[in-house]
Amino acid sequence: MSDSADPTERNRLDEAESPYLRQHADNPVNWQPWDEQALQAAKERDVPIFLSIGYAACHWCHVMEEESFQDEAVAETLNENFVPVKVDREERPDLDSVYMSICQQVTGGGGWPLSAWLTPDGKPFYVGTYFPPEEKHGRPGFAQLLDRLANSWSDPEQRSEMENRAQQWTDAIESDLEAVGEPGDPDENIIGTAATVAHRGADRDHGGWGSGGPKFPQTGRLHALLRAHADGERPSGGGLAGPQGGDGPSDDYLTVVEQTLNAMADRGLYDHVGGGFHRYSTDMQWAVPHFEKMLYDNAEIPRAFLAGYQAIGNERYAAVVRETFEFVQRELQHEDGGFFSTLDAVSRPPVSDQDADTEEGAFYVWTPEQVHDAVADEQAADILCEYFGVSDGGNFEGATVLGVRKPVEVLAEEYELSEAELTEKLETALNEAFEAREERPRPARDEKILAGWNGLMISTLAEGAVVLDDAYADVAADALAFVREHLWDEGEHRLSRRFKDGDVAIDGYLEDYAFLGRGAVDLYQATGEVDYLAFALELADAIVEAFWDSEEGTLYFTPTGGEALVARPQELTDQSTPSSTGVAVSLLLELSHFGEDDRLADVAEQVIRSHADRVSANPLQHASLTLATDTYERGSLELTLVCDPADPPGEWTETLADRYVPRRLLAWRPDDDGAFQSWLEGLGLEEAPPIWAGRDAADGEPTVYACRDFACSPPRHDLDEALDWGEN
């Protein structure tokens, strides 16, 4: 090297804070983090970069490590002929987005680990996901692939072909991630279109979407269906026949929501013993999950259950949310309030020594013997086994993933018990199973704290405070305080992405600002605390400053002036998390009601118009942008609540908890003039924005104003009456 020793002569991941990178710090591969030293080394050595992207809870990442990255011969080939670079996709979603784009374009699929070979300037020329040690199922063996690529790079003619391909692929990445259409108007009633397509494509046998495995939660589709149902929309022709045949009353949008929520709550996706949701189902019946637990899933899925609970009224949905919140607080919360990222899918089997190999799902699955060992009452143990289908053969590696198999009423009849008696025995058995499971070796926990993922959890806890119990607002407030203290730079108005054991790193991406901003404004709506609104407005201003491109009319995922990659990505589609662009647009639309000018609304409108064609063409793929576009088209239902925000009328809180109201925007306002003036000064407003202006307490009593599209109800004291006006 020109100025210092070659950094690629050793594995440098012992310097990293990412738990995923540290998992590879003892590999014989001379792994490098993605940094200037590694990139410069590739240029000076004139060798390709081998880029491996994964995350701590990724099962096949662990498999590939054991099979290949711990192999001395493979390591020697990698070290001599490549610069091997490891990236945690949860820390660097920008890199993941860029190289996953070409993987999906070239191979027709994607996943992790993502394996990409790049020229020294970062342009990809070969890409895939998991590679076995030997050729299998049409996948080349990893060692043989390394030899072939190294030999081709050394041959001038083949290298020229590889570099030409790298440029073509880079152009394809730019076309995929940077494209902005001609501005136009979105299709009318985009939410009706989205709901129609979602209804038509739903799996009416098993719930959800998709004709086989894997089957992922699609929460954006559920929100679209709920909105359309609340709007009085009905499925158009071509829907699948419902339980009674045809597109009749039994076969509406709400039926699809109910079938999907029931499947996710009752089957293997949900952890019936400890609460919380696994990542996805490996099969179409939702029976066997991929066992990792992600913070974002345990935010976004309960958010859909809260909406479903309000719309349908099934108490099981509320119980699932409460149990999931308990799980998150118990197993994913830092002692100072922030939330950790993931629990691994693998752990050592029960009653095993420290050197035993880890197995997927070992912490979560049961045999009849394990149930009977855990549950003192034999009849209760039998009931648990029958209710959840625990059998000798099992449904996963000789054990059983719990999933409801028999209704309570059927079991009660079989055991000659009342339903209440049977339910009590089942609950006792579950509690004892939980205590027994606590003694098992636990899955590893990724203890990095990400700003954006915490924002998702804060949002859902805030909504839980509105719908279920206002105590959840305190949990959300603690998390927000943690992120503000450790990751927000008040002086620079900049957000960092990751906190880990006191170390703060990585400039925030659009998703960090947007998700955290949504969390802050949702917490204001739950509590009436104006400080949360003020922080949300700060984040919105930072979004416009750092991510808005007025010439292109879009929001980019990476900040202006950030690290230059081969493309500057946008995030328009929903993936494992909501589209950051869609959430940002929704946030800007909401916060525009509280601003002195139209700047936030103008940015949101331009983004919607820039992407109107692709959203109209495929609203489900762009679910979050579709929901934002729907809010733009129809407008929020503003509910200006004039009272003491710390002590609202009990009837109001009951109504807000009970009624599903799409596009609801709660705008608390003090009824005391002095307090209100203090609010305006704290927000830096010279005068009240329209959502507050002139909306005083009538007759000296708590008063609500319902407004939409520049029309308002008369001042009301009864929130139900105001909502009735807003829904007509």
Side-chain angles (χ1 to χ4, degrees):
M1 301 295 293
S2 56
D3 298 318
S4 61
D6 183 352
T8 65
E9 290 181 353
R10 71 178 185 89
N11 185 323
R12 293 170 55 217
L13 298 189
D14 58 350
E15 305 166 3
E17 289 295 335
S18 160
Y20 174 63
L21 298 191
R22 283 185 175 273
Q23 288 173 356
H24 294 267
D26 295 328
N27 294 166
V29 176
N30 289 343
W31 289 115
Q32 308 293 298
W34 180 281
D35 64 7
E36 187 56 39
Q37 281 184 275
L39 302 182
Q40 185 62 29
K43 293 175 182 176
E44 296 199 16
R45 288 178 51 193
D46 193 31
V47 295
I49 296 166
F50 168 61
L51 176 64
S52 178
I53 302 179
Y55 57 101
C58 167
H59 173 69
W60 288 103
C61 300
H62 298 316
V63 172
M64 194 164 176
E65 177 192 18
E66 293 171 4
E67 292 177 340
S68 295
F69 302 147
Q70 292 179 0
D71 184 286
E72 294 285 350
V74 169
E76 182 177 358
T77 301
L78 273 171
N79 296 338
E80 288 185 2
N81 299 293
F82 304 89
V83 170
V85 173
K86 262 286 174 193
V87 165
D88 183 340
R89 68 171 291 262
E90 296 171 355
E91 288 194 343
R92 292 299 304 267
D94 55 336
L95 286 166
D96 184 59
S97 173
V98 166
Y99 296 109
M100 186 60 74
S101 167
I102 196 60
C103 181
Q104 291 171 332
Q105 291 185 65
V106 171
T107 69
W112 298 276
L114 175 62
S115 304
W117 286 262
L118 321 176
T119 64
D121 55 358
K123 298 176 180 179
F125 59 82
Y126 196 90
V127 68
T129 54
Y130 162 78
F131 291 97
E134 304 292 337
E135 182 177 355
K136 185 189 301 183
H137 304 308
R139 296 174 184 260
F142 187 65
Q144 291 75 22
L145 178 60
L146 290 178
D147 288 336
R148 178 159 61 85
L149 292 176
N151 292 334
S152 296
W153 185 262
S154 300
D155 181 278
E157 184 175 345
Q158 293 187 63
R159 174 169 172 170
S160 178
E161 294 177 2
M162 296 164 82
E163 290 174 334
N164 288 337
R165 184 192 314 144
Q167 185 58 55
Q168 292 171 359
W169 284 11
T170 299
D171 293 342
I173 294 171
E174 291 177 349
S175 177
D176 180 37
L177 297 182
E178 296 187 357
V180 177
E182 288 295 322
D185 294 323
D187 287 351
E188 292 184 6
N189 191 21
I190 191 72
I191 205 70
T193 301
T196 296
V197 177
H199 177 269
R200 187 174 298 146
D203 179 351
R204 306 306 294 275
D205 293 320
H206 305 292
W209 289 267
S211 58
K215 186 175 277 187
F216 289 86
Q218 302 278 2
T219 58
R221 300 182 183 195
L222 296 173
H223 289 297
L225 288 162
L226 286 168
R227 282 195 190 185
H229 180 270
D231 292 340
E233 297 278 348
R234 303 292 301 171
S236 60
L240 295 179
Q244 298 174 10
D247 287 333
S250 65
D251 187 42
D252 61 8
Y253 295 140
L254 209 57
T255 304
V256 173
V257 173
E258 193 167 14
Q259 289 174 331
T260 301
L261 293 179
N262 289 348
M264 290 197 293
D266 288 345
R267 300 177 197 166
L269 190 74
Y270 186 65
D271 178 0
H272 297 273
V273 172
F277 289 90
H278 300 293
R279 177 70 194 92
Y280 60 85
S281 171
T282 61
D283 59 279
M284 65 186 297
Q285 293 88 6
W286 302 93
V288 176
H290 184 33
F291 290 93
E292 61 192 359
K293 284 183 170 181
M294 320 296 291
L295 178 63
Y296 55 74
D297 285 320
N298 287 286
E300 288 301 290
I301 299 174
R303 188 179 180 92
F305 271 85
L306 285 168
Y309 174 60
Q310 287 185 302
I312 297 169
N314 187 336
E315 290 294 333
R316 169 68 176 144
Y317 301 165
V320 163
V321 175
R322 291 190 185 97
E323 291 164 8
T324 299
F325 285 171
E326 289 175 11
F327 152 71
V328 169
Q329 291 177 258
R330 184 180 67 246
E331 298 191 38
L332 289 178
Q333 190 166 26
H334 187 282
E335 62 182 6
D336 293 329
F339 295 108
F340 301 126
S341 295
T342 67
L343 292 181
D344 211 331
V346 302
S347 59
R348 288 186 291 109
V351 196
S352 62
D353 60 47
Q354 294 291 330
D355 297 326
D357 291 337
T358 59
E359 297 177 6
E360 186 173 8
F363 186 72
Y364 300 103
V365 297
W366 295 84
T367 64
E369 181 182 5
Q370 289 170 336
V371 171
H372 281 272
D373 286 344
V375 179
D377 183 282
E378 286 295 310
Q379 187 183 60
D382 288 338
I383 288 170
L384 189 150
C385 286
E386 284 201 56
Y387 184 71
F388 288 116
V390 182
S391 63
D392 290 329
N395 62 357
F396 180 77
E397 305 291 339
T400 300
V401 181
L402 302 190
V404 177
R405 300 296 197 278
K406 276 190 179 182
V408 166
E409 57 269 23
V410 173
L411 278 175
E413 185 175 345
E414 289 179 359
Y415 281 88
E416 298 181 349
L417 298 169
S418 70
E419 291 185 21
E421 289 171 331
L422 186 130
T423 299
E424 183 178 356
K425 282 184 173 288
L426 183 59
E427 289 176 351
T428 299
L430 280 170
N431 289 335
E432 292 181 14
F434 173 81
E435 294 300 329
R437 199 178 75 172
E438 287 294 284
E439 302 302 316
R440 295 179 176 183
R442 302 189 67 82
R445 181 170 66 186
D446 185 331
E447 295 190 348
K448 64 177 180 289
I449 294 173
L450 301 175
W453 293 13
N454 272 253
L456 295 177
M457 197 70 234
I458 291 164
S459 280
T460 299
L461 285 163
E463 188 66 12
V466 173
V467 177
L468 300 179
D469 185 339
D470 60 9
Y472 294 129
D474 295 333
V475 184
D478 288 345
L480 184 60
F482 183 99
V483 175
R484 290 179 73 171
E485 177 182 352
H486 295 288
L487 294 173
W488 175 246
D489 186 325
E490 182 66 40
E492 297 294 327
H493 277 209
R494 285 292 178 265
L495 184 65
S496 294
R497 177 166 176 82
R498 189 263 289 155
F499 173 94
K500 174 67 169 63
D501 294 334
D503 183 73
V504 174
I506 308 169
D507 291 339
Y509 300 104
L510 178 61
E511 76 169 36
D512 296 298
Y513 288 82
F515 296 173
L516 191 63
R518 188 178 76 173
V521 75
D522 286 347
L523 194 51
Y524 158 71
Q525 293 186 79
T527 64
E529 291 282 348
V530 72
D531 179 59
Y532 302 135
L533 176 62
F535 183 50
L537 286 164
E538 288 185 85
L539 289 168
D541 288 338
I543 286 172
V544 174
E545 180 181 344
F547 301 96
W548 167 241
D549 187 317
S550 58
E551 292 185 5
E552 296 294 336
T554 196
L555 291 164
Y556 285 103
F557 187 75
T558 55
T560 302
E563 180 182 355
L565 304 178
V566 296
R568 187 182 182 191
Q570 304 170 87
E571 188 181 61
L572 305 176
T573 60
D574 287 36
Q575 303 291 337
S576 53
T577 54
S579 153
S580 57
T581 304
V583 174
V585 170
S586 290
L587 176 68
L588 297 179
L589 288 172
E590 285 192 330
L591 293 177
S592 67
H593 293 268
F594 300 94
E596 289 185 305
D597 53 40
D598 295 329
R599 185 172 63 115
L600 299 182
D602 288 344
V603 170
E605 179 180 3
Q606 289 185 62
V607 175
I608 287 170
R609 287 178 53 78
S610 292
H611 302 297
D613 284 350
R614 69 169 69 195
V615 173
S616 297
N618 195 335
L620 295 186
Q621 187 178 16
H622 304 84
S624 293
L625 259 177
T626 295
L627 294 169
T629 301
D630 169 62
T631 300
Y632 164 74
E633 284 183 331
R634 296 179 182 243
S636 296
L637 177 60
E638 304 170 9
L639 295 174
T640 303
L641 304 166
V642 188
C643 63
D644 176 359
D647 187 25
E651 312 88 81
W652 287 10
T653 57
E654 290 175 9
T655 295
L656 291 173
D658 291 342
R659 290 184 64 161
Y660 174 74
V661 182
R663 311 170 201 89
R664 179 201 69 197
L665 178 59
L666 303 181
W668 298 94
R669 199 202 112 154
D671 52 8
D672 178 80
D673 289 342
F676 183 49
Q677 188 59 40
S678 177
W679 273 33
L680 296 179
E681 291 172 1
L683 293 169
L685 298 174
E686 295 184 3
E687 59 183 29
I691 199 168
W692 286 331
R695 301 181 188 179
D696 302 308
D699 307 319
E701 296 182 23
T703 305
V704 59
Y705 296 80
C707 303
R708 191 197 298 274
D709 292 336
F710 308 104
C712 292
S713 71
R716 306 279 191 185
H717 303 303
D718 187 306
L719 181 54
D720 275 306
E721 290 182 5
L723 286 172
D724 289 341
W725 177 92
E727 293 177 353
N728 292 329

